[in-house]
């Protein structure tokens, strides 16, 4: 018999989940694409936390990066261009028991999906947003995105991109009720893993911008950063992203940064000379909209009907 389902608990046998349990079909990304490393880090976070695969849902828009749900052995939703976040928020509001991950690109999130980006940050539902920022529209073959470097030659700007790139960190930090903002590169697996783990552990919306390699349409940007890490700035703090000792040695520039200090986060984010890596900001006390939308979800059918009738009675004349 069909009706409103209010009990979502599944009987699950105790078992150890391996990486394979979180893998979907073979990825079709290009060789050397940074998306592969991000996917691997996600699989590891799921394995380390022993998340139940049937309790995970990955949501995406459209783009190379948005193919991610196919590569997770979990539930997934490959949506419409720019619309990953409203779908993710909808899922979280009805199914707060699910682990909701969002995979979105710089075009998907910062361009066509920009309005959703702002509002999802303010809602601060308990979801993990990973932006795969390769600075270009990859899937549609090299068009200018909001984070394309100025003067970079693209198919939409053959004479070079005309404007300075958008700074996703300062925009994100400027949204009311934002609660977790981090940045990482895809080519540092230990730090990438720690960043995604911290983002997943955070209760609220975690926003992680990953500077991602696209060797096909944006090769030089990441090659420059890989060859000369002098442009990178490692953020350190006891409540930040844990940095393994061996990794710390790779960074010439390091800064002790308090992630609870929004003003300091802005200063670090706005510095275009040194690209910060690590946790810029966290606010564990920001209000969560999913805690409000979950109210009443476990009501019985009778209680729902009673509540509906009471609400409708208010309009009786
Ligand atoms: C409504 C709509 N507009 C445009 C497109 C074409 N389109 C598909 S993917 C894409 C850009 C993807 O770029 P990005 O989000 O940066 O992802 P990437 O491929 O770089 O990972 C565009 C413009 C579309 N599919 N739907
Ligand atoms: S075009 Fe770029 S972003 Fe897309 S799969 Fe290939 S390397 Fe990755
Ligand atoms: Mg892109």
């Amino acid at each position: 018999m069909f009706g409103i389902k209010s009990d979502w608990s599944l009987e699950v046998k105790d078992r150890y989940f391996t990486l394979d349990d979180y893998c979907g079909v073979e990825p079709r990304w290009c060789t050397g694409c940074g998306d592969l490393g991000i996917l691997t880090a996600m699989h590891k976070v799921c394995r380390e936390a022993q998340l139940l695969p049937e309790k995970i849902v990955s949501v995406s828009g459209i783009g190379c990066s948005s193919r991610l749900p196919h590569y997770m052995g979990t539930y997934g939703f490959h949506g419409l261009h720019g619309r990953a976040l409203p779908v993710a928020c909808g899922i979280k509001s009805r199914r707060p028991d699910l682990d909701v991950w969002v995979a979105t690109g710089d075009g998907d999130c910062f361009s066509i999906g920009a309005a959703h980006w702002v509002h999802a940050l303010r809602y601060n539902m308990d979801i993990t947003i990973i932006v795969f920022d390769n600075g270009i529209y990859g899937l549609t073959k090299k068009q200018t995105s909001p984070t394309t470097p100025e003067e970079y030659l693209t198919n939409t700007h053959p004479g070079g991109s005309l404007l300075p790139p958008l700074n996703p960190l300062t925009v994100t930090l400027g949204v009311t009720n934002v609660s977790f903002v981090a940045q990482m590169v895809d080519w540092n697996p230990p730090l990438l893993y720690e960043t995604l783990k911290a983002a997943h552990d955070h209760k609220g919306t975690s926003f992680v911008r990953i500077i991602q390699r696209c060797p096909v349409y944006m090769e030089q940007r990441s090659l420059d950063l890989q060859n000369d890490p002098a442009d990178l700035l490692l953020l350190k703090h006891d409540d930040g992203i844990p940095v393994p000792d061996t990794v710390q040695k790779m960074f010439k520039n390091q800064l002790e940064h308090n992630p609870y200090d929004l003003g300091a986060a802005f200063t670090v984010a706005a510095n275009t000379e040194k690209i910060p890596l690590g946790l810029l900001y966290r606010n564990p006390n920001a209000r969560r909209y999913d805690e409000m939308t979950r109210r009443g979800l476990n009501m019985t059918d009778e209680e729902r009907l009673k509540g509906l009738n009471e609400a409708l009675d208010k309009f009786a004349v």
Side-chain angles (χ1 to χ4, degrees), residues 4 57 81 172 180 188 199 255:
I4 298 173
V57 55
H81 194 34
T172 300
F180 184 105
N188 192 314
L255 178 73

Side-chain angles (χ1 to χ4, degrees), residues 292-304:
M292 303 167 203
T293 55
R294 73 165 59 183
R295 283 181 204 148
L297 276 181
N298 285 322
M299 286 163 90
T300 62
D301 292 356
E302 291 71 30
E303 285 168 333
R304 274 171 210 273

Side-chain angles (χ1 to χ4, degrees), residues 260-291:
Y260 301 103
D261 184 339
L262 185 58
F266 262 109
T267 306
V268 167
N271 180 353
T272 46
E273 300 293 308
K274 295 267 177 284
I275 297 170
L277 299 185
L279 182 61
L280 282 96
Y281 183 63
R282 82 155 83 222
N283 176 8
N285 302 318
R287 273 186 261 168
R288 278 174 48 196
Y289 202 51
D290 53 328
E291 289 185 333

Side-chain angles (χ1 to χ4, degrees), residues 131-282:
V131 184
F132 296 56
D133 189 347
N134 53 10
I136 200 82
Y137 286 4
L139 188 77
T140 42
K141 304 187 186 295
K142 207 180 186 185
Q143 289 134 3
T144 308
S145 96
T147 55
T148 301
E150 198 171 348
E151 296 181 2
Y152 191 74
L153 309 189
T154 70
N155 290 332
T156 39
H157 292 97
S161 172
L162 298 171
L163 296 172
L166 177 108
N167 185 333
L169 297 178
T170 50
V171 175
T172 300
L173 287 166
V175 177
T176 308
N177 210 39
V178 65
S179 76
F180 184 105
V181 183
Q183 178 160 270
M184 195 38 66
V185 289
D186 76 64
W187 56 87
N188 192 314
L191 273 185
L192 181 60
Y193 166 78
E194 293 293 349
T195 306
L196 294 189
K197 181 180 181 313
H200 175 258
D201 289 348
H202 174 72
K203 295 287 163 238
T205 298
S206 321
F207 173 88
V208 183
R209 179 202 185 198
I210 300 181
I211 298 169
Q212 174 237 316
R213 283 169 296 174
C214 171
V216 179
Y217 299 123
M218 183 57 76
E219 188 175 27
Q220 207 52 45
R221 184 183 75 153
S222 40
L223 276 185
D224 289 346
L225 289 175
Q226 285 177 294
N227 292 338
D228 188 4
D231 285 343
L232 300 173
L233 175 67
L234 181 69
L235 303 180
K236 295 187 303 181
H237 193 272
D238 286 348
D239 286 344
I241 307 297
V243 184
D245 285 346
T246 44
V247 173
Q248 201 169 143
K249 289 181 195 139
M250 298 173 183
F251 290 89
K252 208 153 105 186
N253 308 311
Q254 304 187 10
L255 178 73
E256 196 64 26
H257 168 71
N258 175 4
Y260 301 103
D261 184 339
L262 185 58
F266 262 109
T267 306
V268 167
N271 180 353
T272 46
E273 300 293 308
K274 295 267 177 284
I275 297 170
L277 299 185
L279 182 61
L280 282 96
Y281 183 63
R282 82 155 83 222

